[in-house]
Amino acid sequence: MDRLLSGYRRFRRNRWPERRRQFETLADTGQRPRALVISCADSRVDPGMIFDAGPGELFVVRNVANLVPPFAPDGAWHGTSAALEYAVRILEVPDILVMGHAMCGGVRALLDGAPAGASDFIAPWIQLAAPARDRALARPDILDPQLCCEQETIRLSLANLLTFPWVASRLAAGMLRLYGAHFDIRAGELSLLNEQGGFVTVPGVQPRQKTKHRPP
Ligand SMILES: [Zn+2]
């Protein structure tokens, strides 16, 4: 706790003076985040840091293995679905990004079973992604089961998003876009899921715009 409080004092000393006006504006006008990011709770994968986002920019939901459950309005305690509903129906975010990551412990549990002594909730939660694991392991060209399973889990969460009627309707109306991404912790690199269904590394530097050659 001491380290948390010394971090808070650094925030007050260094960040607050430059951010104060921004926070006051957000307090007055409310939040209008430009994206919902659904990412893993893993402490090494911080969407705010990865996307260099300030306060009010990202609405973030983090859980074990960045999973989205299917639409199930059954009165149970659906934390992820509640956050999704708020972001989509109330805040009307234009983009949703599901971000998985390398060396995901949740996906490891999917492959090897929940860690001993932590099976009350992790085991049933991670079973949400069992179809992703089965698809990954059935691929004949599989080289890295962990990576393949992480990528399939992202695809599964995106597919489950479509089971929410107010996500599907906004997507069909062009009011909402869905994206998948995978973050490599060691390399610090982000890969985006493309329209062909593959993950492609995002250049860390903005590609140069092609300038038109003008005839003399
Ligand atoms: Zn993880």
Side-chain angles (χ1 to χ4, degrees):
M1 192 62 193
D2 286 347
R3 290 186 68 171
L4 291 184
L5 291 180
S6 58
Y8 167 69
R9 290 186 192 102
R10 279 198 305 279
F11 162 73
R12 287 293 299 184
R13 188 173 60 244
N14 303 328
R15 310 287 283 172
W16 178 252
E18 69 191 46
R19 294 282 196 190
R20 180 174 188 157
R21 187 169 292 249
Q22 199 176 359
F23 275 103
E24 286 173 350
T25 303
L26 286 166
D28 290 340
T29 62
Q31 58 171 329
R32 192 129 191 100
R34 54 187 161 85
L36 162 64
V37 180
I38 299 164
S39 70
C40 187
D42 192 301
S43 60
R44 301 166 293 182
V45 185
D46 179 350
M49 180 179 284
I50 292 168
F51 298 110
D52 194 24
E57 288 188 55
L58 299 179
F59 193 87
V60 178
V61 184
R62 300 178 72 166
N63 63 37
V64 172
N66 39 272
L67 294 178
V68 177
F71 179 68
D74 54 11
W77 294 328
H78 292 291
T80 297
S81 303
L84 172 67
E85 181 171 43
Y86 191 72
V88 171
R89 302 182 90 178
I90 305 302
L91 298 176
E92 299 184 318
V93 292
D95 292 331
I96 300 178
L97 171 68
V98 175
M99 182 168 68
H101 69 99
M103 295 172 271
C104 181
V107 170
R108 174 54 53 200
L110 187 61
L111 288 164
D112 296 345
S119 58
D120 283 351
F121 297 100
I122 294 175
W125 171 254
I126 206 71
Q127 278 307 304
L128 267 175
R133 175 198 57 208
D134 296 345
R135 270 200 303 276
L137 297 181
R139 286 170 63 155
D141 57 340
I142 189 166
L143 293 174
D144 184 337
Q146 170 85 21
L147 173 62
C148 200
C149 204
E150 287 160 1
Q151 293 176 340
E152 281 297 342
T153 298
I154 294 162
R155 294 186 183 102
L156 176 128
S157 284
L158 288 167
N160 281 348
L161 279 172
L162 298 178
T163 66
F164 289 76
W166 22 267
V167 169
S169 61
R170 282 169 171 78
L171 191 70
M175 298 162 61
L176 184 64
R177 295 173 296 266
L178 307 185
Y179 300 93
H182 182 269
F183 183 70
D184 184 325
I185 291 172
R186 189 179 299 281
E189 287 182 338
L190 188 75
S191 299
L192 265 188
L193 184 60
N194 65 16
E195 287 180 358
Q196 288 73 44
F199 283 83
V200 179
T201 305
V202 178
V205 178
Q206 179 82 26
R208 278 194 180 175
Q209 298 284 328
K210 281 182 184 168
T211 51
K212 278 186 181 171
H213 178 71
R214 287 186 185 161

